Amino acid sequence: MTRWGILATGHIASRFAEDLRLVPDAELVAVGSRAADSAQRFADKHGAKRAYASWVELAADPEVDVIYVATPHAAHYEAAMTCLTAGRPVLLEKPFTLDLASSTELVDTARAAGVFLMEAMWMRTNPLILRAAELIAEGAIGTVSSIRADFGVSGPFPPEHRMRALALGGGALLDLGVYPVSLAHLLLGMPQHIRSWAQLGPEGVDENTGILFGYDTGALATLSCGMVGSSGLSASITGSTGRIDLPEPFFRPGSLTLHRDGAEPETITADMAGKGYQYEAIEVQRCLAAGLTESPLVPHTVTLEVMALLDAVREQIGVRYA
């Protein structure tokens, strides 16, 4: 049995706790928050045995095998470091931190201590995303020439909302754009050329962002994210002999459609119980059981490379965090 702790009590933490019930040999035993009443309400709702009014107390619980960190972006570094220095394995919500430098510090700390650390980029553990990557590796659509992916939400978000708070790592890029960027990285790796543009709001966060990745192979990735209108949340991967379409939402699809030149489209589905968070928890438990300190599906190198891409885009669009 893997005994889980959850650090934070917001919406994503609740969804993870609900999906954790679908994971074999998983048990939620503790929750930690900076507010005692919030921690207790969460524990009562999701059946955790203990509720702590501090992150340090949660990290010190000897009966917790791994901690899922679900705070807002700006608190990821402090929360994860609290857990890692206490020797607790960590599943850290995406984006890892606000920048590459602090992400690198977390990875270095985990490696030095021999403690498991994984970014909760659930898309990279999703069965249909993994199947799409397999099909591409098998040559089902030939050589990939382009990727298109978008993630836009309508809002509107008031000035005090975390999406508009510069101090909380607000804006479309880190919250939404990390998905299109991660998909492009999964299928094409690191680009050699990056071009970005964004409309910034009065708070200094990006409201509508376009990204173009260019590769020396000739491939390109056209990506967008925004909080000024709801987009199709779809993705399409085009190759020399076919195409794979991922429907809404592309980062948690219920199906994919394979188009091979000269053949009828083939729709591939998967039995997707829950919201999809269980797959990252299953991967964490698999790694812990095998004695691994990082996941082959979401390795540290991938997390750091994606953070480097997000840093490069932020530099070009002019979003600056403290």
Side-chain angles (χ1 to χ4, degrees), residues 4-5 7 59 65-70 76 79-93 96 106 110 115-120 284 288 293-294 300:
W4 285 82
L7 192 157
D65 298 316
V66 58
I67 296 176
Y68 168 61
V69 173
H76 284 182
M81 192 64 80
T82 297
C83 298
L84 291 173
T85 53
R88 294 286 172 264
V90 173
L91 173 64
L92 177 58
E93 191 50 60
F96 217 51
L106 288 182
V115 177
F116 179 87
L117 173 64
M118 173 180 140
E119 182 180 19
V284 169
L288 292 177
T293 55
E294 63 180 295
H300 298 156

Side-chain angles (χ1 to χ4, degrees), residues 121-288:
M121 176 42 73
W122 58 323
M123 181 180 72
R124 292 186 69 105
T125 64
N126 181 281
L128 283 171
I129 295 293
L130 294 176
R131 182 59 183 141
E134 287 176 353
L135 287 168
I136 291 168
E138 293 166 1
I141 60 171
T143 302
V144 175
S145 58
S146 68
I147 295 173
R148 179 204 55 78
D150 64 84
F151 195 163
V153 297
S154 57
F157 299 102
E160 65 274 12
H161 194 278
R162 68 171 182 82
M163 289 287 285
R164 289 198 170 277
L166 195 65
L168 296 180
L173 180 64
L174 292 193
D175 204 274
L176 312 175
V178 65
Y179 287 106
V181 169
S182 293
L183 182 67
H185 184 278
L186 172 65
L187 301 177
L188 287 174
M190 287 292 281
Q192 286 71 55
H193 312 277
I194 302 172
R195 296 291 184 270
S196 310
W197 178 91
Q199 169 189 318
L200 302 187
E203 303 84 5
V205 301
D206 62 305
E207 297 181 328
N208 199 26
T209 302
I211 303 166
L212 180 65
F213 289 162
Y215 300 81
D216 286 348
T217 61
L220 56 87
T222 307
L223 317 171
S224 64
C225 59
M227 51 185 186
V228 294
S230 182
S231 67
L233 302 183
S234 63
S236 185
I237 304 103
T238 301
S240 55
T241 61
R243 187 180 79 249
I244 293 176
D245 291 332
L246 298 171
E248 176 184 3
F250 73 87
F251 47 85
R252 185 179 55 84
S255 66
L256 65 82
T257 302
L258 172 62
H259 303 265
R260 299 179 194 260
D261 289 355
E264 289 295 315
E266 177 185 354
T267 299
I268 300 171
T269 61
D271 183 11
M272 300 288 288
K275 301 296 184 182
Y277 294 92
Q278 69 269 31
Y279 300 113
E280 60 186 0
I282 290 170
E283 172 64 5
V284 169
Q285 293 188 182
R286 186 191 70 80
C287 291
L288 292 177

